[in-house]
PDB file of all heavy atoms in Angstrom:
ATOM      1  N   PHE V 255      45.447  35.403 -11.427  1.00 94.00           N
ATOM      2  CA  PHE V 255      44.343  35.203 -12.399  1.00 94.00           C
ATOM      3  C   PHE V 255      44.421  36.159 -13.595  1.00 94.00           C
ATOM      4  O   PHE V 255      43.424  36.307 -14.298  1.00 94.00           O
ATOM      5  CB  PHE V 255      42.987  35.403 -11.695  1.00 94.00           C
ATOM      6  CG  PHE V 255      42.677  34.328 -10.671  1.00 94.00           C
ATOM      7  CD1 PHE V 255      42.374  34.680  -9.378  1.00 94.00           C
ATOM      8  CD2 PHE V 255      42.668  32.990 -10.999  1.00 94.00           C
ATOM      9  CE1 PHE V 255      42.093  33.712  -8.414  1.00 94.00           C
ATOM     10  CE2 PHE V 255      42.385  32.014 -10.082  1.00 94.00           C
ATOM     11  CZ  PHE V 255      42.081  32.372  -8.779  1.00 94.00           C
ATOM     12  N   THR V 256      45.576  36.745 -13.861  1.00 94.00           N
ATOM     13  CA  THR V 256      45.755  37.556 -15.043  1.00 94.00           C
ATOM     14  C   THR V 256      46.829  36.942 -15.956  1.00 94.00           C
ATOM     15  O   THR V 256      47.650  36.151 -15.506  1.00 94.00           O
ATOM     16  CB  THR V 256      46.173  39.005 -14.704  1.00 94.00           C
ATOM     17  OG1 THR V 256      47.508  39.006 -14.210  1.00 94.00           O
ATOM     18  CG2 THR V 256      45.224  39.612 -13.669  1.00 94.00           C
ATOM     19  N   VAL V 257      46.797  37.368 -17.239  1.00 96.00           N
ATOM     20  CA  VAL V 257      47.795  36.863 -18.201  1.00 96.00           C
ATOM     21  C   VAL V 257      49.185  37.288 -17.738  1.00 96.00           C
ATOM     22  O   VAL V 257      50.129  36.463 -17.722  1.00 96.00           O
ATOM     23  CB  VAL V 257      47.474  37.364 -19.608  1.00 96.00           C
ATOM     24  CG1 VAL V 257      48.608  36.977 -20.567  1.00 96.00           C
ATOM     25  CG2 VAL V 257      46.155  36.839 -20.087  1.00 96.00           C
ATOM     26  N   ALA V 258      49.335  38.568 -17.396  1.00 97.00           N
ATOM     27  CA  ALA V 258      50.677  39.061 -16.981  1.00 97.00           C
ATOM     28  C   ALA V 258      51.146  38.359 -15.729  1.00 97.00           C
ATOM     29  O   ALA V 258      52.323  37.986 -15.603  1.00 97.00           O
ATOM     30  CB  ALA V 258      50.606  40.566 -16.747  1.00 97.00           C
ATOM     31  N   GLY V 259      50.250  38.147 -14.759  1.00 97.00           N
ATOM     32  CA  GLY V 259      50.627  37.452 -13.535  1.00 97.00           C
ATOM     33  C   GLY V 259      50.992  36.001 -13.795  1.00 97.00           C
ATOM     34  O   GLY V 259      51.931  35.506 -13.183  1.00 97.00           O
ATOM     35  N   GLY V 260      50.293  35.364 -14.726  1.00 98.00           N
ATOM     36  CA  GLY V 260      50.642  33.972 -15.039  1.00 98.00           C
ATOM     37  C   GLY V 260      51.996  33.871 -15.703  1.00 98.00           C
ATOM     38  O   GLY V 260      52.774  32.936 -15.399  1.00 98.00           O
ATOM     39  N   GLU V 261      52.323  34.830 -16.595  1.00 98.00           N
ATOM     40  CA  GLU V 261      53.639  34.804 -17.239  1.00 98.00           C
ATOM     41  C   GLU V 261      54.754  35.043 -16.238  1.00 98.00           C
ATOM     42  O   GLU V 261      55.786  34.342 -16.270  1.00 98.00           O
ATOM     43  CB  GLU V 261      53.686  35.858 -18.352  1.00 98.00           C
ATOM     44  CG  GLU V 261      54.951  35.797 -19.181  1.00 98.00           C
ATOM     45  CD  GLU V 261      54.888  36.612 -20.431  1.00 98.00           C
ATOM     46  OE1 GLU V 261      53.891  37.386 -20.603  1.00 98.00           O
ATOM     47  OE2 GLU V 261      55.817  36.537 -21.252  1.00 98.00           O
ATOM     48  N   ALA V 262      54.548  35.982 -15.342  1.00 98.00           N
ATOM     49  CA  ALA V 262      55.579  36.278 -14.337  1.00 98.00           C
ATOM     50  C   ALA V 262      55.794  35.084 -13.402  1.00 98.00           C
ATOM     51  O   ALA V 262      56.926  34.721 -13.067  1.00 98.00           O
ATOM     52  CB  ALA V 262      55.182  37.514 -13.520  1.00 98.00           C
ATOM     53  N   ALA V 263      54.681  34.481 -12.926  1.00 98.00           N
ATOM     54  CA  ALA V 263      54.804  33.342 -12.009  1.00 98.00           C
ATOM     55  C   ALA V 263      55.479  32.158 -12.684  1.00 98.00           C
ATOM     56  O   ALA V 263      56.346  31.496 -12.095  1.00 98.00           O
ATOM     57  CB  ALA V 263      53.404  32.950 -11.517  1.00 98.00           C
ATOM     58  N   ALA V 264      55.091  31.892 -13.937  1.00 98.00           N
ATOM     59  CA  ALA V 264      55.691  30.749 -14.666  1.00 98.00           C
ATOM     60  C   ALA V 264      57.173  30.990 -14.939  1.00 98.00           C
ATOM     61  O   ALA V 264      57.968  30.053 -14.838  1.00 98.00           O
ATOM     62  CB  ALA V 264      54.933  30.493 -15.939  1.00 98.00           C
ATOM     63  N   SER V 265      57.526  32.211 -15.281  1.00 98.00           N
ATOM     64  CA  SER V 265      58.945  32.524 -15.521  1.00 98.00           C
ATOM     65  C   SER V 265      59.770  32.274 -14.259  1.00 98.00           C
ATOM     66  O   SER V 265      60.868  31.695 -14.323  1.00 98.00           O
ATOM     67  CB  SER V 265      59.102  33.975 -15.954  1.00 98.00           C
ATOM     68  OG  SER V 265      58.442  34.202 -17.230  1.00 98.00           O
ATOM     69  N   GLN V 266      59.247  32.695 -13.113  1.00 98.00           N
ATOM     70  CA  GLN V 266      59.930  32.481 -11.842  1.00 98.00           C
ATOM     71  C   GLN V 266      60.046  30.989 -11.539  1.00 98.00           C
ATOM     72  O   GLN V 266      61.102  30.498 -11.097  1.00 98.00           O
ATOM     73  CB  GLN V 266      59.175  33.197 -10.728  1.00 98.00           C
ATOM     74  CG  GLN V 266      59.805  33.028  -9.352  1.00 98.00           C
ATOM     75  CD  GLN V 266      58.994  33.757  -8.264  1.00 98.00           C
ATOM     76  OE1 GLN V 266      58.178  34.661  -8.576  1.00 98.00           O
ATOM     77  NE2 GLN V 266      59.213  33.374  -7.021  1.00 98.00           N
ATOM     78  N   LEU V 267      58.956  30.277 -11.778  1.00 98.00           N
ATOM     79  CA  LEU V 267      58.932  28.839 -11.521  1.00 98.00           C
ATOM     80  C   LEU V 267      59.957  28.100 -12.396  1.00 98.00           C
ATOM     81  O   LEU V 267      60.727  27.266 -11.863  1.00 98.00           O
ATOM     82  CB  LEU V 267      57.520  28.289 -11.772  1.00 98.00           C
ATOM     83  CG  LEU V 267      57.359  26.787 -11.736  1.00 98.00           C
ATOM     84  CD1 LEU V 267      57.525  26.269 -10.293  1.00 98.00           C
ATOM     85  CD2 LEU V 267      55.982  26.360 -12.240  1.00 98.00           C
ATOM     86  N   LEU V 268      59.983  28.409 -13.650  1.00 98.00           N
ATOM     87  CA  LEU V 268      60.865  27.702 -14.579  1.00 98.00           C
ATOM     88  C   LEU V 268      62.327  27.994 -14.296  1.00 98.00           C
ATOM     89  O   LEU V 268      63.199  27.128 -14.451  1.00 98.00           O
ATOM     90  CB  LEU V 268      60.503  28.077 -16.011  1.00 98.00           C
ATOM     91  CG  LEU V 268      59.132  27.618 -16.499  1.00 98.00           C
ATOM     92  CD1 LEU V 268      58.775  28.266 -17.831  1.00 98.00           C
ATOM     93  CD2 LEU V 268      59.069  26.092 -16.618  1.00 98.00           C
ATOM     94  N   ALA V 269      62.621  29.211 -13.825  1.00 97.00           N
ATOM     95  CA  ALA V 269      63.995  29.565 -13.484  1.00 97.00           C
ATOM     96  C   ALA V 269      64.442  28.790 -12.235  1.00 97.00           C
ATOM     97  O   ALA V 269      65.606  28.441 -12.103  1.00 97.00           O
ATOM     98  CB  ALA V 269      64.090  31.073 -13.251  1.00 97.00           C
ATOM     99  N   ALA V 270      63.511  28.551 -11.341  1.00 96.00           N
ATOM    100  CA  ALA V 270      63.847  27.873 -10.069  1.00 96.00           C
ATOM    101  C   ALA V 270      63.908  26.348 -10.187  1.00 96.00           C
ATOM    102  O   ALA V 270      64.555  25.709  -9.345  1.00 96.00           O
ATOM    103  CB  ALA V 270      62.837  28.256  -8.989  1.00 96.00           C
ATOM    104  N   ALA V 271      63.210  25.797 -11.180  1.00 97.00           N
ATOM    105  CA  ALA V 271      63.117  24.332 -11.270  1.00 97.00           C
ATOM    106  C   ALA V 271      63.666  23.892 -12.622  1.00 97.00           C
ATOM    107  O   ALA V 271      63.011  24.016 -13.652  1.00 97.00           O
ATOM    108  CB  ALA V 271      61.668  23.896 -11.123  1.00 97.00           C
TER     109      ALA V 271
END
Side-chain angles (χ1 to χ4, degrees):
F255 294 123
T256 69
V257 174
E261 186 168 8
S265 296
Q266 180 181 341
L267 172 69
L268 294 169

